[in-house]
Amino acid sequence: MDNELAIVARGLRKAYGKNVAVAGVDLEVRRGEVFALLGPNGAGKTTTVEILEGYRRRDAGEVSVLGSDPATPAADWRNRIGIVLQGVGEFDELSVSELVHHFAGFYADADDPEKVIARVGLAGKARARTHTLSGGQKRRLDVALGIIGRPELLFLDEPTTGFDPEARREFWQLIRDLAAVGTTIVLTTHYLDEAEALADRVGVIAGGRLIEVAAPEHLGNRQQAHATVSWRTPEGRTESTESATPTELVTELAARFDGEVPGLTVTRPTLEDIYLQMIGHR
Amino acid sequence: MTTTLKPATAARAAGHQPGPLALALRQGRLELTQFLRSRESVVFTMGFPVVMILIFAAVFDGEIAPGVSYPQYFITGMIATGLMTVSFQNLGIWIPIERDRGVLKRYRGTPMPKWVYFAGKVIMVVVVGVIETALLLAVSVAVFDLQLPGAATKWLTFGWVSVLGITACTLCGIAVSSLARTSRSGSAVVTPIALVLQFISGVFFVFTELPSWMQQTAALFPLKWMCQGLRSVFLPETFAGQEPGGSYELGRVALVLAAWCVIGLLLCLGTFRWTTRRDG
Ligand SMILES: Nc1ncnc2c1ncn2[C@@H]1O[C@H](COP(=O)(O)OP(=O)(O)OP(=O)(O)O)[C@@H](O)[C@H]1O
Ligand SMILES: [Mg+2]
């Protein structure tokens, strides 16, 4: 198995009865990479990720995660991966600190629990029972338990659901810090800005198929997409034109207006525009 | 990407994963903490056998045989029932809830060995079982003059019968927990099993007064043997002649209970599920 690749999946398939959730996915994630899986509800993201985590059995296909088949992993395999599930598991009657300390004890070389609690922004809640946490705080606890073992490979299934904007920014910084020390990260998300901010590459999955894998800036030929140039006419109307050569158009406009072009904007389709087009036209 | 080292390798202290014993003890402490903090389970689990023996003592007072009062006879069944409640019923009800909530799925995602989870439950159950039995004995001595055994050998028998019995019931409780599909069905699975066993094993009736087919059925399961072993502790030697086999058959008690420990363990290892069917 190629040492440069943290994850290799070929022809991955999984059906629930007649419902084919994953229909032949080929996927490669490089070591040290941040890989985002995007896709509409029911696209097969969780199913794919949980097969890679060793939770679900695949019907067909070959999978290698850190050199092991997740269905029959090597002894220390779980020491090397961290998991943040989409669904939370609630422990009864335990505090944040007790839980994080306890989980730290499962790993060969866990991080410092207090530091991890602070890192996910729960320092003020360390003594609180977990059932008293708010939704976003519970999610932070999930993240803490996912990273406590200092994983080589970290899976996060919609990690920022329920985060307030500030928490989301802090979480992004956390992911960048983890990536900076070489952690491979696979995350699923519905937030396109998140994928764009964090991911080296994005995979778009729809109907159980991976329809494209690319760097966020290249997704759906985004760079070649026409730009939209708009400006205000002397009569006060807003005019827009799509153009493959926006610079030329702006120069021409500048000449026409003899200087400043009123209300000038040049925009390219956002990742969200491209994404909606991709999953809409499949 | 050429570096394939674990992140922050240089900064890591030499790996010091706790040894198996430490892992089991930590898990046991966590389970115990969770149990003791949920007040209703403490009150009901600990209180049930005490309330039952008080009712029995109030309803039947008199003697079964010369020198053997009804409460003296029924205490053995209540101790056995209590041990079965904290182990078999408690786990058969509680584990499906943990499974449904995703607690087990969480554990599965860590390097924790599977058996550590079972060991944690065993430790919790044993500690709770000891406290509960002590409480039951204390109340019985205070309220109706229960005669505690004198000889050390009797206490020894008390010890091994209880430990083997509670271990068998714990493992069987973990095993049946996999029959429940949802958190709500745990008690539906476990309660009838426990109740039927209690009725046919001589907990609520004098065992030898039961029809013989019932006695033979009960002899297939651990509870009857736990009661019998405990009778050898709390009832005089002279009463042994009234047992179905004409003696307390301690050898057979040990054998059957040990066999159930093995069966329970095999069932646990073979059938235990960390996730619900709905988890794919
Ligand atoms: N345990 C299950 N049993 C039966 N069907 C399932 C199960 N889990 C998922 N499915 C089905 O498989 C398909 C893919 O589901 P999956 O959870 O992988 O989607 P997803 O991309 O993670 O969606 P979301 O964005 O909503 O989390 C869906 O049609 C879903 O109904
Ligand atoms: Mg999902």
Side-chain angles (χ1 to χ4, degrees):
Chain A
M1 197 48 73
D2 192 344
N3 237 353
E4 305 261 301
L5 295 173
I7 298 175
V8 184
R10 304 230 183 281
L12 199 57
R13 278 182 56 87
K14 168 88 182 175
Y16 301 102
K18 285 204 177 87
N19 178 11
V20 180
V22 178
V25 163
D26 294 321
L27 182 70
E28 287 186 355
V29 177
R30 295 191 274 268
R31 288 195 185 249
E33 180 173 46
V34 179
F35 189 94
L37 264 182
L38 283 176
N41 291 136
K45 299 181 297 298
T46 298
T47 304
T48 304
V49 168
E50 292 204 355
I51 290 172
L52 300 177
E53 292 164 346
Y55 279 119
R56 303 190 192 205
R57 305 249 150 211
R58 58 187 185 268
D59 297 339
E62 276 172 45
V63 187
S64 166
V65 176
L66 296 181
S68 277
D69 181 339
T72 52
D76 77 327
W77 188 74
R78 292 216 174 268
N79 242 318
R80 300 163 64 200
I81 66 171
I83 296 174
V84 176
L85 294 166
Q86 180 167 18
V88 292
E90 254 188 68
F91 283 77
D92 242 24
E93 308 291 347
L94 293 174
S95 73
V96 169
S97 168
E98 285 168 332
L99 201 55
V100 177
H101 275 272
H102 190 73
F103 272 62
F106 292 146
Y107 293 88
D109 32 21
D111 216 338
D112 174 6
E114 300 303 325
K115 247 194 282 175
V116 168
I117 291 170
R119 241 179 146 181
V120 299
L122 283 178
K125 284 282 177 185
R127 308 263 152 259
R129 296 280 165 90
T130 58
H131 62 262
T132 65
L133 298 180
S134 75
Q137 289 165 342
K138 281 185 182 147
R139 207 65 190 130
R140 294 178 194 208
L141 176 60
D142 293 337
V143 174
L145 295 178
I147 64 173
I148 186 69
R150 296 210 241 184
E152 252 172 86
L153 168 61
L154 175 62
F155 292 100
L156 305 121
D157 199 352
E158 297 189 25
T160 57
T161 307
F163 278 19
D164 63 42
E166 195 191 347
R168 220 143 69 82
R169 293 296 162 135
E170 284 168 14
F171 171 79
W172 290 2
Q173 193 51 50
L174 174 69
I175 293 299
R176 291 187 183 117
D177 293 346
L178 292 170
V181 294
T183 314
T184 309
I185 291 165
V186 175
L187 64 96
T188 74
T189 182
H190 289 294
Y191 301 110
L192 290 123
D193 57 338
E194 191 161 288
E196 193 161 26
L198 296 176
D200 298 316
R201 289 190 305 148
V202 174
V204 178
I205 189 167
R209 282 175 214 285
L210 204 55
I211 54 180
E212 185 165 354
V213 179
E217 60 275 18
H218 293 299
L219 205 68
N221 284 330
R222 190 174 167 201
Q223 283 191 321
Q224 273 92 59
H226 287 191
T228 305
V229 179
S230 48
W231 68 93
R232 226 174 18 252
T233 63
E235 299 82 49
R237 280 185 298 110
T238 301
E239 194 138 321
S240 318
T241 308
E242 280 198 8
S243 168
T245 52
T247 315
E248 204 177 289
L249 179 58
V250 170
T251 316
E252 195 187 299
L253 283 170
R256 197 192 305 167
F257 284 94
D258 194 17
E260 271 313 302
V261 182
L264 175 71
T265 59
V266 181
T267 54
R268 291 197 182 265
T270 61
L271 183 56
E272 185 156 306
D273 297 330
I274 299 277
Y275 169 74
L276 289 174
Q277 212 178 18
M278 283 173 76
I279 62 170
H281 287 194
R282 101 189 118 87
Chain B
M1 282 303 140
T2 49
T3 49
T4 55
L5 293 172
K6 260 185 117 166
T9 303
R12 276 161 193 269
H16 63 289
Q17 201 168 13
L21 184 68
L23 266 179
L25 290 177
R26 290 175 82 245
Q27 190 65 26
R29 197 183 56 196
L30 190 87
E31 295 284 357
L32 200 58
T33 309
Q34 283 178 278
F35 179 84
L36 294 178
R37 282 184 188 165
S38 63
R39 219 168 294 142
E40 40 330 323
S41 45
V42 175
V43 171
F44 282 95
T45 311
M46 304 259 186
F48 175 67
V50 173
V51 171
M52 290 299 278
I53 194 69
L54 289 177
I55 292 173
F56 267 82
V59 174
F60 306 96
D61 60 351
E63 293 197 331
I64 283 184
V68 180
S69 68
Y70 268 99
Q72 189 77 28
Y73 184 89
F74 283 120
I75 190 73
T76 57
M78 286 312 144
I79 293 172
T81 300
L83 295 179
M84 186 161 153
T85 308
V86 303
S87 54
F88 181 76
Q89 295 183 74
N90 187 15
L91 297 183
I93 292 169
W94 196 237
I95 294 176
I97 295 175
E98 289 196 327
R99 187 183 293 119
D100 228 24
R101 281 205 189 145
V103 166
L104 298 190
K105 193 171 183 183
R106 273 254 168 97
Y107 282 130
R108 194 73 209 108
T110 75
M112 179 191 81
K114 199 175 188 171
W115 66 266
V116 170
Y117 177 73
F118 303 152
K121 293 289 187 204
V122 171
I123 291 172
M124 182 265 281
V125 159
V126 167
V127 173
V128 176
V130 167
I131 299 174
E132 179 214 51
T133 305
L135 184 71
L136 181 61
L137 291 179
V139 170
S140 304
V141 169
V143 176
F144 45 79
D145 283 332
L146 178 81
Q147 300 299 305
L148 291 179
T153 51
K154 298 249 167 179
W155 285 99
L156 193 68
T157 308
F158 189 12
W160 70 252
V161 169
S162 302
V163 167
L164 274 182
I166 206 169
T167 307
C169 289
T170 300
L171 294 169
C172 292
I174 297 172
V176 297
S177 78
S178 295
L179 290 177
R181 281 162 179 264
T182 68
S183 57
R184 287 177 303 280
S185 47
S187 74
V189 171
V190 147
T191 311
I193 299 178
L195 261 179
V196 168
L197 284 183
Q198 283 158 16
F199 273 105
I200 67 174
S201 301
V203 169
F204 300 135
F205 307 109
V206 176
F207 188 68
T208 44
E209 289 170 7
L210 296 171
S212 68
W213 64 267
M214 215 181 256
Q215 293 185 19
Q216 279 149 17
T217 311
L220 298 175
F221 299 98
L223 188 60
K224 180 253 177 185
W225 299 97
M226 290 164 71
C227 293
Q228 190 167 320
L230 292 173
R231 282 199 293 272
S232 85
V233 174
F234 285 89
L235 302 183
E237 236 7 89
T238 52
F239 195 79
Q242 304 207 14
E243 291 291 336
S247 85
Y248 291 122
E249 299 176 291
L250 285 181
R252 193 169 285 185
V253 169
L255 207 67
V256 176
L257 292 181
W260 271 100
C261 289
V262 174
I263 294 170
L265 185 66
L266 292 178
L267 285 175
C268 269
L269 294 175
T271 63
F272 194 75
R273 289 185 290 116
W274 294 93
T275 51
T276 65
R277 298 208 169 113
R278 282 168 294 159
D279 273 322

